Amino acid sequence: MTRALVIVLDSFGLGAAPDAPRFGDVGADTFGHIAQWCVANGRPLRLPNLARLGLPQAARAASGQWPAGVERRAKPDGAFGAAAEVSLGKDTPSGHWELMGCPVAFDWGYFPKTDDPAASVFPPALMQRWLTACGLGGALGNCHASGTEIIERLGDEHLRTGWPVCYTSSDSVFQVAAHETHFGLDRLYAICTQAKTIFDEANIARVIARPFVGENGRYRRTAHRHDYTTPPPAPTLLDVLKHAGREVHGIGKISDIFAARGITHSRTGDGNAELCAQTLEAWRGCADGGLVFANLVDFDMLFGHRRDVAGYADALEAFDAFLPRLLAELGPGDLLALSADHGCDPTWPGSDHTREHVPLLFAGPAAPRGRDLGVRSTFADLGQTLAAHLHVEPLAHGKTCFVR
């Protein structure tokens, strides 16, 4: 049996990338700073299973420092290393596409911050066309914001006016939040579909529907998020596998990130625990030669962007505790890969992604034991390694990390 399972620990960076100065991220280190915070607060980060796979060694290769208080094994069980990104942005689609062999060599359109907090960040002409097309009397927000903060601040006004809440970040994204019942989930999806066709003119990578529920100043986002994403500009490993008649199972927001291209089966879930359970179920049903590709979004959405160091640490320890269950499911010829799509250092100023190295950890019967992969020059080395493992045609970018 020859299958592959990839899990993206969304935003789990290992230290500033070589081009971090271009992004204002010199010194960012998601893993390293979480580990430091844990030691300073008397609760060293406990990641024994990730340590077995060589995570501390990967972090040291990327950042030059051992993560504080994290145990390490002299001889890791898997192959371990880190990778720097060549795509021009530090956004979610670019990171995922590059992991699957398709670096993004162009700049997305962005909505820059303004010095005037009352100024609109979205182009007025595009906004008016969108509002007219959707029959909306107006929109709230029109600013850079955290998704949780802005619905707390504007949720009541949204219910009063019926206007959607629109905001962005340092990513190339137009986000639209609306109440699931008062505004309607289908209606939210419809206006986001309309927004994608209009904001494509500004080369915006994603329009994201952000439904929420609640009343009277107390609101929470739900699991019914939907991303309307520009398709990858070239074939990815997912396309190659699907064309070869293989199964490709997308877990979490993977299908959205790839605009459903190259996906044969898709599962979603609310939070990391449910997504881990869905990953196990998909893996148990995955045919020989297939790929299961999962994204665990809580690291980024709940803890990185919200600068919740303790929550991020707890989530890492919860995933570490789940890892033995996953490893027990691997059969002869199977390969597990763990990586990330960018950083989101919860100790860093602001609430945006950080330009960092990401881990490349391989485990399972098909992974070489104790192999030091060093620091790779592109995320695409992951996709190329998987292509070789699954015996499909080589991808256009990346080099194999090892051949078994």
Side-chain angles (χ1 to χ4, degrees):
M1 181 174 288
T2 301
R3 302 179 300 171
L5 170 56
V6 178
I7 298 182
V8 173
L9 310 183
D10 199 313
S11 85
F12 187 48
L14 298 187
D19 59 357
R22 184 165 67 90
F23 298 87
D25 291 332
V26 174
D29 186 351
T30 299
F31 182 30
H33 288 155
I34 292 170
Q36 287 177 7
W37 183 93
C38 287
V39 168
N41 285 271
R43 50 152 295 182
L45 198 55
R46 308 289 186 189
L47 303 175
N49 298 301
L50 285 165
R52 282 177 51 205
L53 302 187
L55 176 61
Q57 284 85 349
R60 186 173 187 272
S63 69
Q65 297 180 340
W66 291 105
V70 177
E71 70 171 277
R72 55 184 185 264
R73 299 288 184 91
K75 181 72 169 179
D77 289 346
F80 53 90
E85 188 171 6
V86 298
S87 296
L88 295 184
K90 55 179 179 178
D91 55 278
T92 295
S94 296
H96 281 79
W97 297 352
E98 186 171 330
L99 287 170
M100 293 295 108
C102 180
V104 179
F106 58 83
D107 276 317
W108 293 109
Y110 297 93
F111 301 113
K113 291 183 178 179
T114 66
D115 294 330
D116 181 0
S120 299
V121 301
F122 303 124
L126 293 184
M127 282 296 290
Q128 189 55 55
R129 281 175 53 197
W130 176 60
L131 294 172
T132 300
C134 297
L136 295 167
L140 304 174
N142 207 324
C143 60
H144 280 249
S146 158
T148 52
E149 175 275 329
I150 200 168
I151 61 173
E152 291 173 0
R153 177 164 55 89
L154 297 177
D156 288 349
E157 188 175 355
H158 164 70
L159 295 188
R160 181 178 60 81
T161 62
W163 293 356
V165 180
C166 304
Y167 61 101
T168 189
S169 69
S170 64
D171 275 9
S172 177
V173 63
F174 180 70
Q175 304 192 70
V176 186
H179 200 282
E180 279 200 5
T181 54
H182 290 273
F183 191 87
L185 188 59
D186 289 341
R187 185 182 178 203
L188 173 59
Y189 290 163
I191 67 172
C192 286
T193 300
Q194 187 68 54
K196 187 65 175 74
T197 64
I198 293 172
F199 283 90
D200 273 348
E201 296 178 21
N203 196 30
I204 300 305
R206 288 183 294 167
V207 171
I208 305 180
R210 293 284 197 175
F212 63 91
V213 294
E215 304 284 344
N216 301 321
R218 298 177 64 87
Y219 301 100
R220 64 173 180 84
R221 297 195 294 197
T222 74
H224 298 138
R225 160 186 174 161
H226 186 73
D227 294 31
Y228 299 82
T229 307
T230 301
T236 70
L237 175 65
L238 311 187
D239 297 308
V240 172
L241 290 170
K242 185 176 180 181
H243 181 73
R246 311 290 183 84
E247 292 183 0
V248 179
H249 298 255
I251 312 299
K253 62 180 185 178
I254 292 298
S255 183
D256 283 356
I257 291 168
F258 287 83
R261 230 180 58 187
I263 304 293
T264 63
H265 302 75
S266 184
R267 295 170 177 256
T268 59
D270 188 4
N272 280 2
E274 187 174 335
L275 291 170
C276 284
Q278 294 283 13
T279 299
L280 274 179
E281 288 301 309
W283 182 248
R284 289 165 179 162
C286 183
D288 189 24
L291 171 70
V292 173
F293 189 11
N295 172 285
L296 301 184
V297 70
D298 283 0
F299 297 112
D300 186 51
M301 182 178 70
L302 296 185
F303 310 120
H305 285 300
R306 297 186 191 183
R307 299 309 190 232
D308 181 354
V309 187
Y312 209 131
D314 290 343
L316 285 170
E317 291 180 340
F319 177 75
D320 188 85
F322 164 75
L323 195 51
R325 293 177 56 197
L326 194 62
L327 292 168
E329 298 281 343
L330 303 179
D334 287 339
L335 181 66
L336 169 66
L338 304 179
S339 192
D341 52 341
H342 48 69
C344 197
D345 186 340
T347 72
W348 206 243
S351 61
D352 293 323
H353 296 158
T354 43
R355 184 72 161 192
E356 298 185 50
H357 295 92
V358 301
L360 287 182
L361 304 179
F362 296 92
R369 178 180 170 82
R371 177 78 63 86
D372 185 347
L373 305 175
V375 179
R376 319 292 294 196
S377 61
T378 171
F379 293 4
D381 287 2
L382 172 63
Q384 197 71 276
T385 303
L386 297 174
H389 171 69
L390 294 171
H391 305 295
V392 293
E393 62 186 77
L395 305 178
H397 300 275
K399 298 179 180 179
T400 55
C401 295
F402 55 84
V403 177
R404 296 284 289 179

